[in-house]
Amino acid sequence: MQNNSKASIKEVKEFWNKNPLFKGESKKKISTKSFFKDHDNTIINKIFFGKKNILNKILFPKNVDQNKQLKVLDLGCGIGFWLSFMEKNFNYKLFGSDISENSIKIAKKRVSSNIKFNLQFSEKINFKNFFFDHINCQGVLHHTPKPQILLSEIWRTLVNEGTCSISVYYENFLIRNYNFFYFFLNILSFIFKNLGRDRDFNNLPKKKSDLIRIYDGKKNPIGYSLSKKEIIELVNKAGFEIINYKFYFFPSRFLKIKLPNFINSILAEILPFMIILNLKKNRKRKKFH
């Protein structure tokens, strides 16, 4: 695991307050309908290549009892894409939480007032034991100082046999061998474009840990990747059974050259930068400190 940062949670909070997701990636004004439409299009069509692919990769549980709404938390909800997606496609009782006040403020303008928001730190969730039927946690764990504690909190707040879906940065072949590829990538750095949040891919760092961290912005305090073995060990220790895992995402939108979708799809299969794990709570939790 590449989590070598000594950054405090206060620094993490300050960064995401100043740099909410998709800042600088759209020319539209933040919080407007057109801004949210751009964000939807980027995630649905440029990252997942369609709604069908999202549903094939991320677990969204079905309501078995039609008279009861499943309670679902979007943990680390950011500016509300997944809350909006679930609100449009599923009959859930939705909750959203994030460490960033500014992100929640933006998310509230994206969804209906039926969704309850909570400002909190994901490694200490302010909900009772066995409260949620399902927790969605996409792209959050790799920004937390203590990922094992986060998974333990997800376990605690889920009902017995409850489910969750998490995604993290995956240490693929390119990242594992970054020292070898560094020279070539640095020569070709002119083909990268910097999309918001003070990103700078034209001066690539020599350490792969720094490369992963600056993907979300030059001043991002914490960002690391995990191997398949590492993430499986983390979720097993936390008391989860793996339903399945899926790979996806190649950051082609940061290239100045526009690639055809079929090439992007192939790259996402060969060199995925993200791994999703769909999980079920079914074992006794171990304690972590």
Side-chain angles (χ1 to χ4, degrees):
M1 194 190 321
Q2 302 301 317
N3 183 18
N4 299 318
S5 173
K6 295 182 180 180
S8 68
I9 198 62
K10 181 180 178 182
E11 290 174 280
V12 174
K13 182 174 183 175
E14 287 176 351
F15 175 79
W16 291 106
N17 260 331
K18 293 178 181 177
N19 301 279
L21 282 172
F22 212 54
K23 178 183 177 182
E25 294 192 46
S26 172
K27 295 180 180 179
K28 308 298 192 303
K29 184 178 179 181
I30 293 178
S31 298
T32 61
K33 287 183 179 180
S34 53
F35 172 83
F36 293 138
K37 186 176 181 180
D38 276 358
H39 192 210
D40 287 347
N41 181 59
T42 296
I43 294 181
I44 295 172
N45 298 318
K46 295 182 180 179
I47 293 179
F48 282 95
F49 309 116
K51 176 182 171 181
K52 183 179 179 180
N53 202 27
I54 291 177
L55 297 175
N56 285 338
K57 293 188 182 299
I58 296 178
L59 175 64
F60 297 102
K62 295 180 180 179
N63 282 303
V64 177
D65 183 353
Q66 296 301 317
N67 296 317
K68 177 188 173 184
Q69 285 183 307
L70 293 179
K71 285 192 288 188
V72 175
L73 170 66
D74 190 16
L75 181 59
C77 66
I79 62 172
F81 169 81
W82 292 110
L83 288 171
S84 176
F85 182 85
M86 288 188 284
E87 187 173 38
K88 292 172 183 175
N89 292 281
F90 303 96
N91 183 29
Y92 295 153
K93 185 175 182 180
L94 289 167
F95 298 76
S97 71
D98 201 274
I99 194 172
S100 162
E101 298 99 328
N102 192 29
S103 294
I104 288 179
K105 184 179 178 181
I106 295 169
K108 284 182 176 180
K109 295 180 181 179
R110 189 174 197 162
V111 297
S112 76
S113 59
N114 294 325
I115 297 176
K116 297 182 179 179
F117 286 91
N118 189 291
L119 179 69
Q120 57 187 307
F121 173 35
S122 59
E123 291 180 11
K124 189 176 181 181
I125 305 173
N126 297 324
F127 289 101
K128 296 179 181 179
N129 296 350
F130 314 112
F131 189 80
F132 294 108
D133 298 288
H134 179 75
I135 293 177
N136 184 62
C137 187
Q138 307 299 333
V140 177
L141 186 138
H142 48 239
H143 294 304
T144 60
K146 299 176 182 178
Q148 194 73 74
I149 299 297
L150 181 151
L151 291 169
S152 184
E153 280 291 89
I154 290 175
W155 191 99
R156 177 185 67 79
T157 52
L158 279 173
V159 299
N160 291 329
E161 303 294 313
T163 56
C164 69
S165 180
I166 65 172
S167 64
V168 299
Y169 290 145
Y170 172 61
E171 189 155 315
N172 62 23
F173 175 80
L174 183 62
I175 294 174
R176 286 196 304 272
N177 297 282
Y178 179 68
N179 289 342
F180 175 78
F181 289 112
Y182 169 76
F183 176 76
F184 302 99
L185 289 172
N186 216 37
I187 291 175
L188 296 172
S189 63
F190 67 92
I191 69 172
F192 303 129
K193 57 183 176 180
N194 303 314
L195 296 176
R197 284 186 261 160
D198 198 26
R199 289 181 170 110
D200 185 4
F201 298 126
N202 302 123
N203 296 288
L204 295 176
K206 291 185 177 180
K207 294 182 180 179
K208 67 178 180 180
S209 56
D210 286 333
L211 174 71
I212 298 158
R213 182 183 57 78
I214 68 167
Y215 171 77
D216 284 291
K218 193 174 181 179
K219 296 181 181 179
N220 174 33
I222 298 178
Y224 50 90
S225 62
L226 296 169
S227 68
K228 185 175 76 173
K229 180 181 178 181
E230 286 172 330
I231 186 60
I232 287 175
E233 286 179 353
L234 282 172
V235 299
N236 283 339
K237 285 181 180 179
F240 287 102
E241 173 189 343
I242 298 174
I243 299 170
N244 57 47
Y245 59 84
K246 309 278 186 175
F247 295 100
Y248 78 106
F249 182 53
F250 185 84
S252 57
R253 73 183 193 277
F254 292 95
L255 298 176
K256 292 179 181 178
I257 305 169
K258 187 175 181 179
L259 301 176
N261 270 351
F262 80 93
I263 293 180
N264 286 324
S265 299
I266 293 171
L267 288 171
E269 290 293 326
I270 298 173
L271 288 172
F273 275 68
M274 298 288 288
I275 180 171
I276 293 171
L277 288 96
N278 297 310
L279 311 169
K280 181 172 73 172
K281 170 182 174 177
N282 73 339
R283 289 203 294 262
K284 186 176 180 180
R285 180 185 63 169
K286 296 181 179 181
K287 293 183 179 180
F288 299 95
H289 303 284

